[in-house]
Amino acid sequence: MNISYLRLLEIGGVFFMLSGVALGIVGAEVLNIPFARMDLVSFAVGFCGFLLLVLRSSYEKNKTREQQIEEKDERVVFINQNSKSKAFDLLITILPLALLTLVMFGYMNKVSFFSLIGLYFISIVYYYYSIWKNKKIM
């Protein structure tokens, strides 16, 4: 794992945690954004920072030489790529069904529905872009 990426996760986590504390002290009303639950905004921002710090700590900086070699082994890389591919296929199949179910039962509003659909299409476009780029290289 690249050290600058780990540093970015650490800085982002600390920033979000401090922002959550600041919003808890000052109040989320200073943002002038009409959140549904203003009392939970500071907790949500702080929790995002906490999750970034947990993600950062899950990567070990000081790995032994054997661990670094094993991490770059072609079999391990293939297993990770295959797992990611299967998880993407599952997500691409299940997400529209989950969105449709939430809309049918009335648990989703228009803004969140179209935001999630937009993210879904962005991931599909990026998938096809990656295929096109990889075919061009070969």
Side-chain angles (χ1 to χ4, degrees):
M1 183 61 51
N2 193 353
I3 298 299
S4 63
Y5 177 70
L6 295 176
R7 181 65 61 193
L8 184 65
L9 283 176
E10 186 176 340
I11 291 170
V14 169
F15 173 75
F16 279 120
M17 286 188 71
L18 291 177
S19 297
V21 170
L23 286 174
I25 293 172
V26 174
E29 292 82 16
V30 297
L31 295 176
N32 293 328
I33 300 173
F35 291 110
R37 296 277 312 264
M38 290 298 243
D39 56 335
L40 295 180
V41 172
S42 60
F43 292 114
V45 172
F47 187 66
C48 286
F50 174 74
L51 288 179
L52 285 176
L53 288 176
V54 167
L55 179 67
R56 191 262 178 251
S57 66
S58 68
Y59 297 113
E60 297 180 33
K61 263 201 230 180
N62 303 323
K63 292 185 178 180
T64 64
R65 183 78 174 144
E66 293 82 23
Q67 288 174 333
Q68 290 176 353
I69 291 172
E70 182 179 333
E71 187 177 273
K72 295 178 182 176
D73 186 18
E74 291 179 12
R75 293 172 292 180
V76 174
V77 170
F78 175 75
I79 290 170
N80 287 336
Q81 289 176 347
N82 193 20
S83 299
K84 287 178 186 179
S85 172
K86 290 185 184 300
F88 178 77
D89 291 341
L90 180 67
L91 182 67
I92 291 300
T93 306
I94 290 179
L95 185 65
L97 298 174
L99 287 175
L100 183 62
T101 303
L102 290 173
V103 167
M104 287 175 52
F105 288 122
Y107 288 110
M108 184 168 293
N109 59 16
K110 291 178 185 177
V111 173
S112 57
F113 176 74
F114 287 114
S115 298
L116 290 173
I117 289 295
L119 290 173
Y120 179 77
F121 283 128
I122 288 172
S123 64
I124 296 291
V125 167
Y126 184 72
Y127 168 72
Y128 285 118
Y129 169 74
S130 297
I131 289 175
W132 173 75
K133 187 177 176 183
N134 288 333
K135 283 184 180 179
K136 192 171 94 172
I137 291 173
M138 293 183 171

